[in-house]
Amino acid sequence: MVSEVDSVRLRELEATFDPDAGLARSDERLWVAFNSLEYAILLLRRDQAGDRQRAAAIVDAVLATQMHEPDWDRGRFPMSLPETWRDLNANLFLAPELVEIYEHWLP
C-alpha cells in the first residue's frame, strides 16, 4: 500500500518510464541515479500485478550501467545516459535506494 503522495509520484514516474531502456526518461536523457530507482521502490511498495517484475527490470538496467573500465572509473555509475558530464556523486545518490531494495525486498 502506498500513500497518496507516493501514488501521485508513481503516476509521474510511470509517465517517464522507457520500457525499452528500463529507465526513467526526461527529454533526451535516461536517468540512472534519480528517478529510475525511486520508481522501482514505489513499484515494490505498491506490489500490484507486474510491479515486482518491472522493478527488477529497472534494477537490472541500473546495475548494467556500472562502469567496468577504464580502471580509474571502475565501479562508478553515470548520473544519466548519455553521460554529458562526469558526476562522481551518482554512486552516492544510488546507494540509499539500492540499500532499501536490498533490505526490504530481497530474500
Side-chain angles (χ1 to χ4, degrees):
M1 182 64 101
V2 294
S3 69
E4 183 59 33
V5 171
D6 284 347
S7 293
V8 169
R9 184 66 178 145
L10 193 53
R11 286 190 297 275
E12 292 170 356
L13 292 169
E14 284 173 343
T16 69
F17 183 68
D18 181 332
D20 294 330
L23 299 168
R25 180 176 289 286
S26 175
D27 298 322
E28 299 301 314
R29 291 187 196 286
L30 292 166
W31 288 99
V32 176
F34 291 114
N35 299 345
S36 295
L37 284 179
E38 178 187 2
Y39 182 41
I41 287 170
L42 291 173
L43 288 169
L44 291 166
R45 287 180 188 164
R46 184 175 69 180
D47 200 22
Q48 292 181 356
D51 285 351
R52 288 179 180 257
Q53 293 80 6
R54 179 171 273 188
I58 293 167
V59 172
D60 286 346
V62 167
L63 293 178
T65 67
Q66 188 174 33
M67 311 270 184
H68 298 286
E69 52 185 53
D71 284 342
W72 49 267
D73 237 0
R74 186 171 304 203
R76 185 176 73 79
F77 288 89
M79 187 72 74
S80 64
L81 297 172
E83 188 174 37
T84 55
W85 76 93
R86 190 168 173 273
D87 190 331
L88 301 177
N89 292 314
N91 289 33
L92 298 174
F93 290 115
L94 290 170
E97 292 169 331
L98 287 171
V99 168
E100 182 174 344
I101 291 168
Y102 177 78
E103 288 180 343
H104 294 282
W105 289 287
L106 293 180

